[in-house]
Structures are given as C-alpha cells and as structure tokens.
C-alpha cells in the first residue's frame, strides 16, 4: 500500500521525505502540493536545484510554502 493509501489522503501531511539530491523545480512543486513538512537530502544539485542552488521555490510565500516548515540537509561523514 502507498503512503497516501495508508493515510487515506493524497496529501502527506506530517510526513518527511528522504532523497539523495536537492529537489528540482518539478519535484519541489509536488512536495509543496502534497504538503510534506520536511525534506532531507544529501547533496546539492547545482544544475536544477530548487532549494537555493538555482532557485529557492520553498521561499516563495505565494505558492503554498506555509505548509513547509523545515528544510534540512545532511552530509554523511567520510
């Protein structure tokens, strides 16, 4: 069963999304639409990144970022 099926809603309110790369603009739109509250990613994407590398979609108040409270990144020690 999908996460949306388990929650009974296509919006993933209160969920955290873990990804390897900084989201692109299209992915950022999906993240905002589904109301994921936190994204944790491991590396910047300097060609298409939408969290400060190219553009910061999550900082634009008019497109629904009020649901997106925390955005983090982590780095694994080598």
């Amino acid at each position: 069963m999908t996460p949306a099926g388990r929650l009974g809603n296509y919006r993933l309110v209160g969920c955290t999304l873990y990804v390897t790369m900084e989201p692109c603009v299209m992915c950022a739109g999906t993240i905002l639409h589904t109301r994921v509250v936190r994204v944790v990613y491991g590396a910047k994407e300097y060609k298409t990144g939408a969290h400060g590398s190219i553009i910061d979609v999550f900082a634009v108040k008019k497109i629904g970022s009020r649901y997106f409270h925390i955005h983090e990144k982590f780095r694994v020690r080598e």
Side-chain angles (χ1 to χ4, degrees):
M1 182 176 276
T2 65
R6 288 183 185 160
L7 293 173
N9 190 341
Y10 72 96
R11 294 202 168 153
L12 304 175
V13 179
C15 293
T16 299
L17 177 66
Y18 294 91
V19 294
T20 56
M21 299 293 289
E22 177 182 3
C24 68
V25 173
M26 184 175 67
C27 293
T30 301
I31 290 165
L32 290 169
H33 180 70
T34 58
R35 297 187 182 169
V36 170
V37 295
R38 181 172 53 179
V39 174
V40 180
Y41 62 90
K44 288 282 208 184
E45 173 53 75
Y46 295 104
K47 290 184 179 181
T48 61
H51 181 251
S53 290
I54 300 299
I55 187 171
D56 193 352
V57 173
F58 300 104
V60 179
K61 298 293 182 196
K62 292 185 177 185
I63 61 172
S65 59
R66 66 185 174 274
Y67 301 110
F68 196 78
H69 302 294
I70 304 169
H71 192 89
E72 302 175 347
K73 75 174 189 172
F74 68 94
R75 184 175 179 153
V76 177
R77 288 187 167 181
E78 297 181 25

